[in-house]
Amino acid sequence: GAGVSQSPSNKVTEKGKDVELRCDPISGHTALYWYRQRLGQGLEFLIYFQGNSAPDKSGLPSDRFSAERTGESVSTLTIQRTQQEDSAVYLCASSLYLVGYEQYFGPGTRLTVT
Amino acid sequence: AQKVTQAQTEISVVEKEDVTLDCVYETRDTTYYLFWYKQPPSGELVFLIRRNSFDEQNEISGRYSWNFQKSTSSFNFTITASQVVDSAVYFCALTGAPNTGNQFYFGTGTSLTVIP
């Protein structure tokens, strides 16, 4: 079956512009996660969605970052007034809502802020 | 606190050598799950294995094997007879209940280079 897909694969934007990143999870996966990975670094948790529950936003680094998810489908991560330090790969992962079930990752969106 | 430590930042081995990647974890949960992921140069993280805290049996899958030891809070990963295609960054991760909820805690990764 289809895996997690993300778009765009690459995004170059000017400092101060807003960007929107999209994630399509695996069908049937009710849990969805966003991570940020800076060059050569590990994964930084941003936000977690589970069904219609309130999202866990504890990892969002600033109020310039927000995310939405419609039901159990597509999610969008929005970064407003981008800064150069926002340059990173943004990874999306989905999972069944079972404690301990593995996450499946998308290919990521490489964001470059110039 | 929930934490995963991968002390080895980079490892280089010559092809056909065996290599072990270390993972040490901290958790308050009595039920927890450990994972290994591979991130090849192409960038997409690939799930390799999941173990739960009640199953300490070692697991072998082809050239890969995993050694889970609760006594030392470790979940080490060994690649036997390494190949160039094993070159990647490997991440160890932890989740569990009830303290971690559904959040995953990743280590900082170990970059493995297999030299032909």
Side-chain angles (χ1 to χ4, degrees):
Chain A
V4 178
S5 61
Q6 292 186 247
S7 61
S9 54
N10 280 284
K11 177 72 176 178
V12 180
T13 191
E14 292 180 354
K15 178 182 172 181
K17 296 283 178 80
D18 298 352
V19 295
E20 205 170 84
L21 312 179
R22 177 187 168 108
C23 172
D24 281 274
I26 292 172
S27 178
H29 281 192
T30 57
L32 187 147
Y33 302 75
W34 282 98
Y35 295 89
R36 178 169 68 180
Q37 187 176 29
R38 292 198 166 104
L39 186 63
Q41 303 296 311
L43 278 70
E44 178 185 358
F45 167 76
L46 296 177
I47 189 169
Y48 160 69
F49 293 93
Q50 167 47 39
N52 294 316
S53 302
D56 176 354
K57 303 179 182 180
S58 59
L60 294 178
S62 77
D63 58 8
R64 296 186 297 105
F65 287 73
S66 63
E68 292 183 350
R69 186 182 187 193
T70 306
E72 296 179 354
S73 60
V74 171
S75 175
T76 55
L77 176 69
T78 301
I79 308 173
Q80 295 178 309
R81 306 181 302 282
T82 52
Q83 304 293 312
Q84 287 187 330
E85 63 261 27
D86 299 334
S87 295
V89 175
Y90 289 83
L91 294 166
C92 176
S94 73
S95 172
L96 289 176
Y97 184 55
L98 295 170
V99 175
Y101 195 83
E102 60 270 18
Q103 297 181 343
Y104 290 88
F105 284 83
T109 294
R110 182 176 299 279
L111 175 66
T112 304
V113 182
T114 61
Chain B
Q2 325 298 319
K3 186 179 178 182
V4 175
T5 302
Q6 295 180 255
Q8 304 152 309
T9 306
E10 296 181 359
I11 300 177
S12 290
V13 298
V14 176
E15 200 170 21
K16 297 184 183 176
E17 286 185 346
D18 299 347
V19 58
T20 295
L21 310 181
D22 297 333
C23 173
V24 174
Y25 62 91
E26 296 175 31
T27 181
R28 292 172 293 173
D29 291 321
T30 53
T31 300
Y32 54 90
Y33 301 82
L34 296 160
F35 306 81
W36 276 96
Y37 285 84
K38 174 182 180 181
Q39 187 175 38
S42 61
E44 190 161 342
L45 277 99
V46 176
F47 164 70
L48 294 178
I49 190 171
R50 171 187 59 167
R51 299 311 302 273
N52 72 56
S53 52
F54 297 109
D55 183 1
E56 288 193 70
Q57 268 196 323
N58 291 333
E59 182 153 342
I60 298 174
S61 176
R63 296 184 297 106
Y64 294 172
S65 62
W66 291 270
N67 182 7
F68 175 32
Q69 292 196 338
K70 289 179 77 170
S71 61
T72 55
S73 297
S74 65
F75 185 44
N76 296 337
F77 173 27
T78 297
I79 302 174
T80 303
S82 59
Q83 299 177 1
V84 172
V85 293
D86 297 326
S87 296
V89 179
Y90 291 86
F91 291 95
C92 181
L94 164 74
T95 191
N99 293 299
T100 60
N102 288 288
Q103 190 165 140
F104 278 63
Y105 294 82
F106 284 82
T108 50
T110 297
S111 178
L112 173 66
T113 300
V114 180
I115 303 165

